[in-house]
């Protein structure tokens, strides 16, 4: 028997946050830095457990939430997820984005 952890992020991160009084969203350097710092902090804890870890990418939103701004945000978020994953040997990407949105068309 072996332990496995799959980390999948919800869509709330598609909304922005205030960073030192300035509204920021994904793709803004300050937002990306905070997102990566938080994800990195959690990954350190999970990696210490010695479980097999998969970090999933995020598909594009559907319906009324699907627009160019949010697609760009998802692209930036997935880039950050991939970046953080490289810091943890043995951690793998569960590429939900590619599985659910081949060639950018979500099924």
């Amino acid at each position: 028997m072996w332990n496995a952890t799959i980390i999948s992020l919800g869509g709330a991160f598609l909304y922005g946050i205030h960073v030192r009084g300035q509204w920021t969203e994904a793709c803004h350097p300050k937002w990306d830095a905070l997102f990566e710092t938080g994800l990195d902090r959690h990954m350190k804890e999970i990696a210490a457990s010695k479980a097999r870890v998969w970090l999933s990418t995020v598909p594009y939103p559907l319906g009324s939430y699907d627009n160019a701004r949010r697609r760009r945000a998802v692209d930036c978020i997935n880039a950050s997820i991939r970046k953080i994953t490289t810091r943890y040997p043995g951690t793998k990407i569960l590429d939900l984005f590619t599985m659910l949105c081949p060639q950018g068309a979500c099924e």
Side-chain angles (χ1 to χ4, degrees):
M1 185 172 100
W2 46 275
N3 292 328
T5 301
I6 298 173
I7 302 167
S8 181
L9 305 170
F13 55 81
L14 285 174
Y15 298 97
I17 58 172
H18 282 95
V19 178
R20 296 190 179 118
Q22 180 183 6
W23 183 254
T24 62
E25 296 179 338
C27 302
H28 185 284
K30 290 180 181 178
W31 191 98
D32 293 348
L34 281 173
F35 178 76
E36 290 173 13
T37 297
L39 185 55
D40 191 48
R41 183 178 59 247
H42 293 297
M43 287 298 296
K44 283 178 187 169
E45 294 171 14
I46 293 165
S49 73
K50 305 297 183 201
R52 293 183 185 193
V53 178
W54 284 266
L55 188 55
S56 70
T57 55
V58 180
Y60 288 140
L62 298 174
S64 62
Y65 295 100
D66 186 10
N67 59 49
R69 189 181 105 245
R70 289 199 175 112
R71 282 180 172 241
R72 183 172 179 262
V74 166
D75 291 342
C76 291
I77 290 163
N78 284 336
S80 291
I81 289 169
R82 291 178 191 288
K83 178 181 174 182
I84 295 301
T85 300
T86 64
R87 296 179 186 171
Y88 297 90
T91 297
K92 300 188 184 320
I93 290 287
L94 176 59
D95 198 354
L96 292 181
F97 175 82
T98 299
M99 286 187 256
L100 298 175
C101 301
Q103 287 84 42
C106 298
E107 298 179 2

